[in-house]
Amino acid sequence: QVQLVESGGGLVQAGGSLRLACAASRVISHLKYMAWYRQAPGKQRELVASITSGGTTGYVDSVKGRFTISRDNAKNTLYLQMNNLKPEDTSVYICNADTYWSNHWGQGTQVTVSS
C-alpha cells in the first residue's frame, strides 16, 4: 500500500507558476512509475506527466515546455513544476503511483488559473 498526499495547489494568475508536491508513505525509488493526472469538472481524467523508476519522463502535448515532473527519492516526494500557467490548466491535480502489483491515487489538490 502507498498513501499519497498532494500539496501546493492554489490560485494563480495566468503566466504564473506553482509547484505541486506529492508525499508518499513509502520508498518511491522502486516504484514502476509515478504520475500526475488532472481532472476538471465534467471532463475525463487526463494524464499530465509521468516518470518511471529509471527516470524517463513523459508529458501530454499541452504542457510540454511548461511543466516539469521530478522526484526526490530521499524525501519520497514527487513534484510537478508548472510554469506559464494558462486558464485551461485549471483542474484538480492528482498524484498516482504504480507498484507493479497495485495502483494508488491521492486525493488531489486544486489549481485555479485566472485570466
Side-chain angles (χ1 to χ4, degrees):
Q1 290 291 329
V2 182
Q3 280 74 50
L4 304 169
V5 179
E6 301 96 335
S7 61
L11 174 64
V12 63
Q13 288 188 332
S17 298
L18 283 174
R19 188 194 195 200
L20 305 183
C22 171
S25 62
R26 53 159 284 181
V27 172
I28 66 171
S29 59
H30 301 303
L31 294 178
K32 182 179 180 181
Y33 68 80
M34 296 188 75
W36 287 99
Y37 285 74
R38 64 186 179 188
Q39 188 165 20
K43 294 188 177 181
Q44 288 190 333
R45 189 167 292 187
E46 174 186 46
L47 175 61
V48 177
S50 63
I51 184 167
T52 68
S53 58
T56 300
T57 59
Y59 301 90
V60 67
D61 285 346
S62 61
V63 308
K64 284 181 180 177
R66 300 189 296 123
F67 290 12
T68 303
I69 189 171
S70 64
R71 67 171 190 241
D72 185 334
N73 291 338
K75 296 181 178 180
N76 295 328
T77 301
L78 178 73
Y79 299 100
L80 185 67
Q81 178 66 44
M82 306 186 294
N83 298 328
N84 191 21
L85 282 161
K86 303 176 180 180
E88 51 264 43
D89 294 319
T90 295
S91 193
V92 175
Y93 284 73
I94 309 159
C95 181
N96 176 265
D98 193 284
T99 69
Y100 294 93
W101 300 279
S102 58
N103 193 268
H104 304 272
W105 297 91
Q107 293 298 309
T109 184
Q110 176 70 45
V111 171
T112 302
V113 185
S114 63
S115 57

